[in-house]
Amino acid sequence: MAVTQDQDENTKRLQRQRLRSVAIALGLGFLVLLFYAATIVRMGN
Amino acid sequence: MTTSIAEGTLDSRITTAEPSVSDFLELMKPRVMSLVVFTSLAGLFAAPGQLHPVLAVIAVICIAVGAGASGALNMWYDADIDARMARTAARPIPRGRVTADEALAFGSVLSVVSVLTLGVLVNWVAGGLLALTIAYYVFFYTMWLKRRTPQNIVIGGAAGSFPPMIGWAAVTGGVSIESVLMFLIIFMWTPPHFWALALYRCRDYERVGVPMLPVVAGPDETRRQILLYSLALVPLAISPYFIGLGGIAYAAVSTVLGLIFLYLAFKVWRVREGREGDHAAKQLFVFSIFYLFLLFAVLLGEHIALKFQ
């Protein structure tokens, strides 16, 4: 019983860790996109 | 575990679970962020000139993230008192979802990224103002004055008043009388707004030793200050019409709402006892949110209409 609970906790922990990594990756990707878009806009001016 | 959250003390190593993405979003005070986005949009649209829509979106995102970052840094520093106040006890750090160190790192990284991005991609006046806002809120207000002076709300209010100025600077690259006026409206609005809340929530602040005006000077003096600030706020909020920042709709709305604001502030001053006193303060608190929102909504609406004519 305790082992199953530990496994559940571990799975949830890994899931949260993965989601945080995805959020950081998306954030960085979005930042790159912003710089890319702003560069195009500024070059057009 | 060396200390207990329930006892109101805090250890930065305490966590009950791995923090989720939503815990970090909560650190950014989303409701404050939405108000910041709204007022910065008003500054952005009211400003003369054109800013490419892509750059305008970037500016608003940076201002929102910068505001969120200062919220996270505020929660990091105030974690000890947050744990002991009913209104803030469920925040991510007191709940043990995020450690104080994680909040500090998160807030610091976002602060730097938002300021640099706004400076590099839009302009450095806007970037500089955002840096000033974050530094002002975190160092000047949160760390230095919040726990030292009953005028903390007046001083802290300045941090929340900068967003329309930043929006304006993003377009024009400068500061002008119109943007200073928008700053002043929010600045003068903040004390009656927060003191109305503090009048019926002052026990929380008293317990943690934050010298809010009702705690230090008493409810009667707070009521007098609310009335005085309201008397200064209402004509100030109408004045954008006289310098051409607001149109006829703004003049009408700001006058009518201003009179209601004054009536409610007067009621808070007059009705001092028991439930009715608390009710008057609550009425003013709720109306003040509606008041500021509508002022900036009309300003925004008028300028959007002008730009897309």
Side-chain angles (χ1 to χ4, degrees):
Chain A
M1 188 71 175
V3 174
T4 322
Q5 210 171 1
D6 276 357
Q7 278 174 342
D8 273 0
E9 275 297 311
N10 204 35
T11 315
K12 276 183 189 166
R13 196 178 59 80
L14 285 173
Q15 215 168 23
R16 288 203 187 97
Q17 211 169 46
R18 197 172 301 129
L19 272 174
R20 286 207 308 271
S21 303
V22 170
I24 291 169
L26 285 175
L28 290 174
F30 186 63
L31 202 60
V32 170
L33 209 71
L34 284 188
F35 272 77
Y36 185 65
T39 307
I40 291 172
V41 167
R42 288 209 172 269
M43 281 170 74
N45 285 339
Chain B
M1 196 180 279
T2 53
T3 51
S4 144
I5 297 285
E7 283 164 17
T9 46
L10 205 104
D11 187 316
S12 69
R13 288 162 296 178
I14 296 171
T15 44
T16 53
E18 285 276 328
S20 64
V21 174
S22 64
D23 292 323
F24 283 100
L25 288 178
E26 216 182 310
L27 276 181
M28 297 173 80
K29 301 189 179 178
R31 271 185 299 179
V32 176
M33 270 170 78
S34 60
L35 188 68
V36 163
V37 166
F38 183 63
T39 54
S40 64
L41 271 175
L44 220 123
F45 275 97
Q50 290 285 334
L51 184 68
H52 193 284
V54 171
L55 297 180
V57 170
I58 291 173
V60 173
I61 291 171
C62 288
I63 297 167
V65 172
S70 49
L73 290 172
N74 171 271
M75 284 199 202
W76 158 71
Y77 191 80
D78 277 347
D80 57 337
I81 55 175
D82 280 353
R84 290 183 287 147
M85 294 205 293
R87 189 173 67 85
T88 52
R91 283 179 174 175
I93 304 177
R95 252 193 311 149
R97 298 284 306 179
V98 176
T99 66
D101 292 344
E102 283 167 341
L104 172 63
F106 181 67
S108 307
V109 169
L110 287 190
S111 298
V112 172
V113 169
S114 60
V115 168
L116 288 182
T117 307
L118 187 62
V120 170
L121 299 187
V122 181
N123 68 58
W124 281 104
V125 176
L129 280 173
L130 183 62
L132 179 71
T133 309
I134 297 170
Y136 184 95
Y137 187 65
V138 175
F139 298 113
F140 197 63
Y141 169 67
T142 305
M143 292 185 180
W144 189 24
L145 293 172
K146 183 179 174 181
R147 303 186 195 201
R148 281 186 175 81
T149 165
Q151 292 299 315
N152 48 15
I153 286 306
V154 181
I155 296 153
S161 313
F162 275 112
M165 264 180 108
I166 306 173
W168 183 283
V171 179
T172 63
V175 174
S176 70
I177 182 75
E178 291 92 341
S179 67
V180 172
L181 194 54
M182 285 190 278
F183 170 94
L184 284 175
I185 290 170
I186 305 178
F187 182 74
M188 296 303 283
W189 166 87
T190 310
H193 167 73
F194 269 107
W195 284 333
L197 171 76
L199 270 177
Y200 60 92
R201 281 282 176 97
C202 66
R203 273 187 208 138
D204 251 6
Y205 292 106
E206 201 172 356
R207 199 166 52 239
V208 297
V210 174
M212 290 294 277
L213 195 65
V215 176
V216 176
D220 287 354
E221 175 59 19
T222 308
R223 288 186 163 91
R224 197 178 73 88
Q225 295 273 345
I226 286 176
L227 186 61
L228 289 177
Y229 271 93
S230 304
L231 284 168
L233 166 69
V234 171
L236 195 72
I238 300 171
S239 64
Y241 171 72
F242 298 104
I243 58 164
L245 179 64
I248 192 77
Y250 179 84
V253 170
S254 60
T255 306
V256 172
L257 292 181
L259 289 173
I260 301 172
F261 198 108
L262 277 180
Y263 166 72
L264 293 174
F266 186 71
K267 203 171 147 190
V268 168
W269 183 65
R270 281 289 301 273
V271 186
R272 299 177 179 206
E273 300 299 325
R275 269 191 194 169
E276 283 181 6
D278 277 0
H279 181 67
K282 266 181 204 168
Q283 259 187 326
L284 178 64
F285 173 72
V286 172
F287 180 77
S288 66
I289 299 169
F290 176 70
Y291 174 78
L292 191 74
F293 172 77
L294 219 61
L295 282 188
F296 277 86
V298 174
L299 205 61
L300 187 62
E302 280 184 340
H303 285 278
I304 289 176
L306 275 176
K307 293 220 163 158
F308 294 101
Q309 230 174 21

